[in-house]
């Protein structure tokens, strides 16, 4: 059975949905006070947190992450709201084994504010994308994506909620497929 690790920087609602459907070997957060760590505790998923600023540089930080992943024989790294760019140290150790979810229909609206950017652009539809992680920001090969409409009476909040609902469907579906391969 392939072993999965989930990386999250904050809230962790995607982690929660994933952990309710799959065995998650570990959660990693780059913030020691992230709410995802509380969710992990409630779900009895082992969690680890350390911050970039605690290391000499990003290479050392990512080397610590790679060691953690290797010690636990992780096969698939699932980024779910992990707000750091994956650097060459982690990427070269896990190339082709890291996936990310982005709250827009890539290549539309990459970056940290995919929902807000789509909203401000006045689109009539946006979406959600799961993709392989490469050295760029939201540039890796798309695995699966779905469209999400923006409805005429949407507020940013209702639009955002609909995007998140689509994430909670799409990410487990992709993970299920990858675990079956
Ligand atoms: C999600 O919208 C995800 O697409 C983006 O960051 C958000 C994380 O939310 N990359 P959560 O931490 O899973 O609640």
């Amino acid at each position: 059975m392939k072993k999965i690790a989930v990386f999250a920087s904050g809230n962790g609602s995607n982690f929660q949905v994933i952990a309710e459907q799959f065995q998650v070997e570990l959660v990693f957060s780059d913030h020691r006070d992230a709410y995802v760590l509380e969710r992990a505790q409630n779900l009895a998923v082992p969690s680890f947190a350390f911050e970039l600023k605690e290391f000499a540089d990003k290479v050392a930080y990512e080397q610590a992450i790679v060691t953690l992943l290797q010690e636990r024989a992780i096969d698939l790294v699932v980024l779910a709201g992990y707000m750091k760019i994956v650097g060459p140290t982690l990427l070269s150790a896990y190339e082709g084994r890291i996936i990310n979810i982005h709250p827009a229909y890539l290549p539309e609206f990459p970056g940290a504010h995919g929902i807000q950017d789509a909203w401000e652009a006045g689109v009539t539809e946006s979406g959600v994308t799961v993709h392989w992680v490469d050295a760029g920001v939201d540039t890796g090969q798309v695995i699966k994506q779905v469209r999400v409409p923006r409805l005429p009476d949407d507020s940013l909040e209702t639009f955002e909620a609909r995007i998140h609902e689509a994430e909670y469907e799409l990410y487990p579906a992709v993970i299920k497929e990858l675990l079956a391969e």
Side-chain angles (χ1 to χ4, degrees):
M1 190 62 193
K2 284 184 188 162
K3 294 186 173 182
I4 70 178
V6 178
F7 285 22
S9 296
N11 179 29
S13 64
N14 278 281
F15 156 71
Q16 174 104 24
V17 169
I18 293 163
E20 284 169 356
Q21 296 182 48
F22 303 95
Q23 186 180 333
V24 175
E25 293 298 320
L26 70 93
V27 169
F28 170 73
S29 184
D30 57 327
H31 290 291
R32 290 183 182 274
D33 59 356
Y35 184 58
V36 69
L37 299 171
E38 219 167 297
R39 294 185 190 263
Q41 193 169 19
N42 292 336
L43 289 161
V45 174
S47 66
F48 300 85
F50 36 83
E51 305 201 1
L52 176 55
K53 65 181 184 218
E54 296 162 6
F55 293 82
D57 54 24
K58 194 159 174 181
V59 171
Y61 161 78
E62 288 199 334
Q63 192 50 58
I65 294 175
V66 170
T67 301
L68 175 67
L69 297 175
Q70 288 174 343
E71 276 171 2
R72 276 147 213 273
I74 298 301
D75 299 296
L76 181 68
V77 176
V78 175
L79 307 185
Y82 177 66
M83 299 306 288
K84 278 193 172 55
I85 293 168
V86 174
T89 307
L90 177 53
L91 197 58
S92 61
Y94 273 83
E95 183 107 57
R97 295 188 289 167
I98 310 176
I99 60 175
N100 182 45
I101 190 160
H102 182 73
Y105 201 87
L106 291 171
E108 300 167 12
F109 308 109
H113 308 287
I115 300 175
Q116 178 105 21
D117 291 347
W119 174 262
E120 282 168 9
V123 297
T124 55
E125 56 176 9
S126 186
V128 170
T129 304
V130 177
H131 63 94
W132 293 107
V133 171
D134 66 9
V137 176
D138 302 326
T139 53
Q141 191 199 335
V142 171
I143 302 171
K144 207 169 194 160
Q145 53 191 168
V146 290
R147 280 291 185 186
V148 177
R150 170 183 174 162
L151 303 180
D153 59 354
D154 262 347
S155 62
L156 175 57
E157 288 67 35
T158 58
F159 177 60
E160 190 162 6
R162 193 173 314 105
I163 298 262
H164 289 311
E165 285 308 317
E167 293 189 306
Y168 305 152
E169 296 283 322
L170 185 67
Y171 221 179
V174 169
I175 292 167
K176 193 175 170 191
E177 281 177 22
L178 293 177
L179 292 182
E181 275 173 9

